[in-house]
Amino acid sequence: DAGITQSPRYKITETGRQVTLMCHQTWSHSYMFWYRQDLGHGLRLIYYSAAADITDKGEVPDGYVVSRSKTENFPLTLESATRSQTSVYFCASRVTSSLTGGELFFGEGSRLTVL
Amino acid sequence: GQNIDQPTEMTATEGAIVQINCTYQTSGFNGLFWYQQHAGEAPTFLSYNVLDGLEEKGRFSSFLSRSKGYSYLLLKELQMKDSASYLCAVSGAKIKAAGNKLTFGGGTRVLVKP
């Protein structure tokens, strides 16, 4: 039972390069999310998706692109990486449940450093 | 918009009780969540409140007052392994609507000392 997995776990890149962070879930959850976590800011929502081919912006979408051609995959692309995008990125999926309110399940995180 | 506030850091002694407060201002409310996050790891779900009152789950309890925009997480009989960050998050939309997302506070780092 793999759950939700992210790759790569660690990535170092240079300013201006394109980077894609992968996210894969095995539960068939409809909702998926990308958050970034920085000291002093907590978790901030970048993009989310309600289903395949349905995506929408979150709080900090600039500089990022997402796609969701299949329910299980939700890749996040930095089209031209900047130093301010150095962060830990978490992918999450959400189950709909009246008991738990629809808790988020998080991947292990992808630590990205932009030099 | 949504604004969620919680203290940055708290220190407590092993075996003691700690209360982490969270205040929120949101446009729409459909539940408040608490997550635990150990250093270098992903957040994990602790509790969910949608109605006023106290929800107890073992050593952890969570309280909600919707009229006051206030919640707290109570950790009893603290153990060293409880040293972690605790994140308060609010769902501002109904669960089946588009925009089914959680907004997080900055997190409270709890340090448990022997």
Side-chain angles (χ1 to χ4, degrees), chain A residues 9-60:
Chain A
R9 295 288 314 279
Y10 302 91
K11 176 76 175 179
I12 300 174
T13 191
E14 294 178 338
T15 302
R17 293 202 180 249
Q18 182 177 22
V19 176
T20 296
L21 306 179
M22 304 300 293
C23 180
H24 176 79
Q25 53 120 344
T26 59
W27 295 305
S28 298
H29 290 168
S30 294
Y31 285 90
M32 295 188 75
F33 307 83
W34 274 105
Y35 287 89
R36 61 178 288 175
Q37 188 171 38
D38 307 286
L39 278 173
H41 290 282
L43 283 163
R44 291 182 292 174
L45 183 64
I46 305 170
Y47 268 96
Y48 64 99
S49 169
D53 297 322
I54 301 175
T55 62
D56 206 348
K57 297 178 180 179
E59 183 185 352
V60 288

Side-chain angles (χ1 to χ4, degrees), chain A residues 9 31 33 35 37 39 41-43 45 48 57 90 94-104 106-108 111, chain B residues 30 33 35 37 40-45 48 87 91 93 95-107 109:
Chain A
R9 295 288 314 279
Y31 285 90
F33 307 83
Y35 287 89
Q37 188 171 38
L39 278 173
H41 290 282
L43 283 163
L45 183 64
Y48 64 99
K57 297 178 180 179
F90 285 102
R94 188 171 186 184
V95 61
T96 55
S97 165
S98 59
L99 292 176
T100 64
E103 64 194 269
L104 289 177
F106 287 87
E108 310 104 313
R111 185 177 295 273
Chain B
N30 196 49
F33 299 76
Y35 284 79
Q37 185 179 25
E41 298 183 7
T44 55
F45 172 77
Y48 166 68
L87 315 178
S91 177
I95 199 164
K96 291 189 177 181
N100 184 15
K101 52 191 185 285
L102 299 189
T103 300
F104 285 81
R109 188 189 307 177

Side-chain angles (χ1 to χ4, degrees), chain B residues 5-13 17-22 34 70-75 78 82-86 107-113:
Chain B
D5 289 315
Q6 50 182 130
T8 304
E9 197 168 292
M10 301 181 75
T11 302
T13 304
I17 298 173
V18 69
Q19 178 175 313
I20 306 168
N21 296 324
C22 172
W34 284 96
Y70 168 71
S71 172
Y72 67 73
L73 179 69
L74 196 68
L75 285 60
L78 278 172
D82 297 329
S83 290
S85 288
Y86 293 85
T108 300
R109 188 189 307 177
V110 172
L111 177 61
V112 180
K113 294 186 173 180

